Amino acid sequence: MSFPHTTADYYIEFKIPKIKRRWSISMPVFNSSNLALESGHQWEIGANNIQDEDIMAVIKTIGWKVEKHYRCPEYRYHHYFIIVPQ
């Protein structure tokens, strides 16, 4: 499952033979309190004080477990959640 994510997110990737490392840095978007409502997304991470922890808490309350969550470097606007039944 994926959710839109409004925070600026930058990553650095080093490729060394047989070793691959990737680091990510997220920065908040300032004055984003109405951003989710203007874009039509009610659950946009980074807007209206919604954090990825809020999404994971809701997923847990409906009986699912977040096995992994991440942002894809090639498409930074979305935050992906891999979920499985508890």
Side-chain angles (χ1 to χ4, degrees), residues 56 59 64-70 81-85:
M56 291 188 288
I59 291 170
W64 291 79
K65 175 185 170 189
V66 176
E67 194 168 84
K68 179 180 176 182
H69 68 99
Y70 61 95
F81 295 85
I82 307 301
I83 60 174
V84 294

Side-chain angles (χ1 to χ4, degrees), residues 11-72:
Y11 75 96
I12 298 171
E13 183 174 26
F14 294 98
K15 291 184 180 180
I16 301 171
K18 298 185 182 184
I19 299 173
K20 184 176 180 181
R21 292 284 181 227
R22 180 179 289 166
W23 290 273
S24 178
I25 300 171
S26 295
M27 297 173 54
V29 174
F30 299 102
N31 298 325
S32 64
S33 61
N34 294 322
L35 191 57
L37 297 177
E38 291 171 8
S39 68
H41 297 120
Q42 300 301 313
W43 280 85
E44 191 157 347
I45 300 171
N48 297 325
N49 296 321
I50 296 174
Q51 303 298 319
D52 53 347
E53 292 86 9
D54 300 323
I55 303 293
M56 291 188 288
V58 170
I59 291 170
K60 185 177 180 180
T61 62
I62 61 173
W64 291 79
K65 175 185 170 189
V66 176
E67 194 168 84
K68 179 180 176 182
H69 68 99
Y70 61 95
R71 291 174 76 174
C72 179

